Amino acid sequence: MRVWRSLRGSSIPSLGASKLRGIRFNSSSCRAIVLPRFGGPHVLEVRPNVQIPDLNPRDVLVRARAVSINPLDTRMRSGYGRSIFEPLLPLILGRDISGEVAAVGASVGAFSVGQQVFGALHPTALRGTYADYAVLSEDELTQKPNSLTHVEASAIPFAALTAWRALKSTARIVEGQRVLVLGGGGAVGLAAIQLAVAAGCKVSTTCGPKSINYVLEVGAEQAIDYTAEDIVLAIQGQFDAVLDTIGAPETERIGINFLKRGGHYMTLQGEAATLADRYGLAVGIPAATAILLKKQILYRYSHGIEYWWTYMRADSEGLDEIGRLSEAGKLKIPVDKTFPITQAREAHEAKEKRLVPGKVVLEVD
Ligand SMILES: NC(=O)c1ccc[n+]([C@@H]2O[C@H](COP(=O)([O-])OP(=O)(O)OC[C@H]3O[C@@H](n4cnc5c(N)ncnc54)[C@H](OP(=O)(O)O)[C@@H]3O)[C@@H](O)[C@H]2O)c1
């Protein structure tokens, strides 16, 4: 985990020219959206002079042009993950970014100043991307597709890397296999459908009525409106992999029952953080591990399948492939609305109250 020491501490050294390569970067602070305490959207503060940390040798300083809002951002703002993050407040939220390289650490070989990049931070990063300048490690970035605007690019990495983690790293899907995405209308669901289609798999998905046309357009063979149809009756056949973006007891039961023997069920709603928040890290994490192990053993014996909690992970190979697919028009996450970064509160409210159903992006002028 990247430890960003403090947003206030005057003792933090500013970004030193000696630690950087090939650039003149004079600022030691920038504007950022700061989370000083957990709460509603109103707790987010625009601060003009937030210190920019020194770059480690493999770090890249990115001038942000667009940063998208993920459910993790609104959940963290409300206190999800407080067992880890509370002692480290204030934080900067935000995982996704698209922008330009402003400076590189001493060992960075893949990027140079001025290059257009996009990428995503690990879920536990403390200094997020809601800022004029964000620090990411070089394996969390790749070249921005030329065919996409910064707004379009910023919507992709965190969701697509989550889907990549499940389908490519965990289930290791291959051509000809069948994939079921439960909840295919959101960003991760859409990314999963498109990654599976690009891998040569046949995809079935469930989603709300507004998403039906889009999931079919991006390549799903079967789209089931879960508000109007009985999913169990509508789903046809057995699957090699199920990605459950909803993670409710009912979707878990359905996902498990529609897997072939040897198939993989992956939910995005792993319980580690929730249990750690409820019981503290010392009790919550072992309890979560025990629950996961019990389910893995149970489903291996009862159904002959593999059960997983999927968490987003940085993956430079995956991100490069996500960049290539996006450039080729094979991976898109539609953006419903943009806000200036100074209106992060309004943007969080719109996302959280579902005033905007799809992806929301903050534009950084
Ligand atoms: N474990 C991880 O590392 C990880 C990583 C990323 C995301 N996640 C989690 O995965 C989930 C999906 O993330 P995302 O980025 O794809 O989110 P998203 O883009 O906001 O999409 C969520 C989708 O779920 C459906 N939905 C949302 N709220 C609903 C409600 N109250 N009732 C019924 N359906 C609802 C909607 O699809 P329809 O309109 O088609 O119904 C919506 O588009 C979130 O819970 C997020 O926290 C976990």
Side-chain angles (χ1 to χ4, degrees), residues 2 43 48 70 91 158 183 214 226 232 262 282 299 316:
R2 183 198 311 289
V43 299
N70 284 288
L91 308 174
F158 191 80
Y214 196 77
Y226 65 79
V232 176
Y299 288 130
S316 59

Side-chain angles (χ1 to χ4, degrees), residues 87-358:
L88 303 164
L89 288 168
L91 308 174
I92 298 176
L93 299 175
R95 311 290 97 181
D96 279 322
I97 191 164
S98 183
E100 293 131 24
V101 174
V104 293
S107 315
V108 172
F111 300 104
S112 52
V113 173
Q115 197 174 340
Q116 311 270 305
V117 290
F118 80 138
L121 284 162
H122 191 268
T124 53
L126 301 182
R127 191 188 196 280
T129 55
Y130 291 6
D132 287 335
Y133 291 91
V135 178
L136 289 89
S137 128
E138 65 176 328
D139 57 12
E140 293 170 329
L141 287 167
T142 194
Q143 167 126 3
K144 180 184 86 66
N146 291 322
S147 55
L148 301 186
T149 63
H150 283 298
V151 166
E152 290 165 336
S154 73
I156 295 172
F158 191 80
L161 280 166
T162 305
W164 181 276
R165 178 82 188 150
L167 297 180
K168 303 288 270 192
S169 311
T170 305
R172 298 176 183 274
I173 55 167
V174 293
E175 193 175 350
Q177 287 191 324
R178 298 195 68 214
V179 174
L180 173 63
V181 180
L182 294 166
V188 179
L190 285 173
I193 293 168
Q194 293 169 88
L195 288 177
V197 169
C201 298
K202 295 184 193 325
V203 182
S204 297
T205 188
T206 63
C207 61
K210 279 184 276 179
S211 310
I212 292 274
N213 287 342
Y214 196 77
V215 300
L216 291 172
E217 209 176 287
V218 298
E221 280 200 334
Q222 189 191 14
I224 300 156
D225 176 354
Y226 65 79
T227 66
E229 295 178 70
D230 184 327
I231 302 174
V232 176
L233 294 179
I235 297 173
Q236 292 150 9
Q238 298 271 288
F239 296 85
D240 300 281
V242 173
L243 176 60
D244 184 355
T245 73
I246 316 287
E250 193 198 349
T251 53
E252 181 166 315
R253 185 174 47 73
I254 292 169
I256 302 272
N257 284 329
F258 275 95
L259 274 172
K260 293 177 186 168
R261 286 189 82 78
H264 296 262
Y265 168 87
M266 297 151 293
T267 173
L268 297 186
Q269 312 299 341
E271 295 174 53
T274 313
L275 290 172
D277 289 345
R278 193 176 304 153
Y279 302 114
L281 284 171
V283 176
I285 296 297
T289 308
I291 289 172
L292 176 60
L293 266 173
K294 190 176 158 198
K295 286 193 170 197
Q296 287 180 322
I297 293 165
L298 177 77
Y299 288 130
R300 203 169 288 153
Y301 279 99
S302 61
H303 291 71
I305 61 119
E306 302 297 323
Y307 176 99
W308 307 99
W309 290 345
T310 291
Y311 295 101
M312 180 274 184
R313 282 261 179 94
D315 180 324
S316 59
E317 209 180 291
L319 188 59
D320 287 345
E321 179 61 12
I322 285 162
R324 281 191 288 273
L325 290 171
S326 305
E327 181 76 280
K330 293 179 178 172
L331 177 47
K332 292 174 271 191
I333 309 288
V335 175
D336 268 21
K337 191 164 169 60
T338 64
F339 290 82
I341 193 165
T342 47
Q343 290 180 14
R345 288 179 177 181
E346 289 82 351
H348 266 228
E349 190 159 322
K351 184 72 194 151
E352 209 162 47
K353 291 188 176 164
R354 290 181 63 76
L355 304 174
V356 181

